[in-house]
Amino acid sequence: MNDTLRTIAERFSCRSFTDQQPEDKYLHAIAEAAIQAPSGMNRQCWHVIVVKNRNIIAEMEQEGMNFLSSMEDQSMYHRILSRGGKLFYNASCMIVIAIKQAYPKGAELIDCGILAQNIVLAATSLGIASLHCGFVGLAFAGERAAEFKNKLKFPEGYECGMGILLGYAKETMPPHIPNQEKITIIE
Ligand SMILES: Cc1cc2nc3c(=O)[nH]c(=O)nc-3n(C[C@H](O)[C@H](O)[C@H](O)COP(=O)(O)O)c2cc1C
């Protein structure tokens, strides 16, 4: 196995972070790896926002929980509460990928996903734990969306595409076991 394959195999979803903030030189390297991602027609309809401000992260987490509690279906809210009420698992750093709608509609989501994976693989290679976190989007789903876009300096016309949590793992978990039945080889 080479270093790239090892990094891919070692990445896991971290759900318990220490208070330690990843060093700036690593965050810069991760952000650089993010924007090296390919995109359809090289349109790069994205913006990478590295959030090191723990107060903002805490506010976004609270807003996410408020949003879940306001939903008619409360099952997710109660599930999170039963797991300690944490959406962001004490992560000291978050990357928000802001995206702008591309043509054909939805293409920007594919670009966003590829960029997100560059982030988590770069982080893993540097010993930094990560989590793709769809729940980050909840902060932009309710009444405070404009406020958070403003705080995070979203470029005009951009929406939240995806969030990634970064930090050092308090607890290391094994990644999921790949299901070999998901591979078909046609000879
Ligand atoms: C698009 C996407 C969104 C996700 N959102 C969340 C999330 O909000 N909270 C969470 O705890 N895990 C989230 N995950 C992590 C998945 O649950 C995790 O990748 C999956 O269980 C496989 O585990 P592994 O990443 O450790 O291999 C997300 C993963 C992806 C790809």
Side-chain angles (χ1 to χ4, degrees), residues 11-13 15 83 87 89 131-136 162 174-176:
R11 181 213 56 82
F12 69 99
S13 287
R15 295 191 178 86
R83 294 194 323 207
L87 292 175
Y89 311 105
L131 178 79
H132 285 289
C133 189
F135 279 148
V136 169
M162 186 61 189
H176 70 277

Side-chain angles (χ1 to χ4, degrees), residues 46-58:
W46 56 48
H47 201 84
V48 175
I49 301 165
V50 182
V51 187
K52 294 166 59 184
N53 184 318
R54 298 201 70 161
N55 292 333
I56 296 179
I57 294 173

Side-chain angles (χ1 to χ4, degrees):
M1 214 191 270
N2 65 28
D3 286 348
T4 304
L5 294 176
R6 199 168 297 114
T7 298
I8 291 170
E10 284 173 358
R11 181 213 56 82
F12 69 99
S13 287
C14 181
R15 295 191 178 86
S16 175
F17 293 91
T18 70
D19 286 328
Q20 191 187 345
Q21 181 80 242
E23 295 76 354
D24 280 349
K25 64 178 179 186
Y26 292 151
L27 293 177
H28 282 122
I30 291 167
E32 189 68 28
I35 59 171
Q36 284 170 0
S39 62
M41 292 179 279
N42 197 24
R43 71 194 138 221
Q44 301 175 35
C45 296
W46 56 48
H47 201 84
V48 175
I49 301 165
V50 182
V51 187
K52 294 166 59 184
N53 184 318
R54 298 201 70 161
N55 292 333
I56 296 179
I57 294 173
E59 281 181 52
M60 289 172 66
E61 184 168 49
Q62 187 56 56
E63 172 62 4
M65 287 303 282
N66 290 346
F67 186 84
L68 284 180
S69 74
S70 71
M71 288 173 70
E72 198 178 320
D73 178 357
Q74 299 243 310
S75 56
M76 186 59 78
Y77 176 65
H78 289 296
R79 197 172 135 203
I80 303 291
L81 272 189
S82 71
R83 294 194 323 207
K86 293 272 182 198
L87 292 175
F88 301 157
Y89 311 105
N90 194 45
S92 56
C93 183
M94 170 192 287
I95 293 185
V96 176
I97 306 167
I99 55 170
K100 195 168 73 170
Q101 192 180 307
Y103 181 83
K105 195 169 172 229
E108 70 278 7
L109 296 174
I110 296 173
D111 296 345
C112 176
I114 295 170
L115 183 143
Q117 189 67 358
N118 267 22
I119 290 174
V120 297
L121 293 180
T124 305
S125 75
L126 294 166
I128 294 170
S130 63
L131 178 79
H132 285 289
C133 189
F135 279 148
V136 169
L138 294 177
F140 302 92
E143 288 172 359
R144 296 184 68 187
E147 177 193 336
F148 285 122
K149 281 185 185 179
N150 195 30
K151 280 187 174 165
L152 269 50
K153 300 186 167 61
F154 270 44
E156 192 60 37
Y158 279 65
E159 302 294 331
C160 175
M162 186 61 189
I164 315 282
L165 308 179
L166 295 174
Y168 288 97
K170 202 177 217 171
E171 207 181 331
T172 306
M173 299 291 286
H176 70 277
I177 297 167
N179 177 357
Q180 300 303 324
E181 290 177 7
K182 296 287 180 183
I183 299 174
T184 299
I185 295 175
I186 312 291
E187 303 275 10

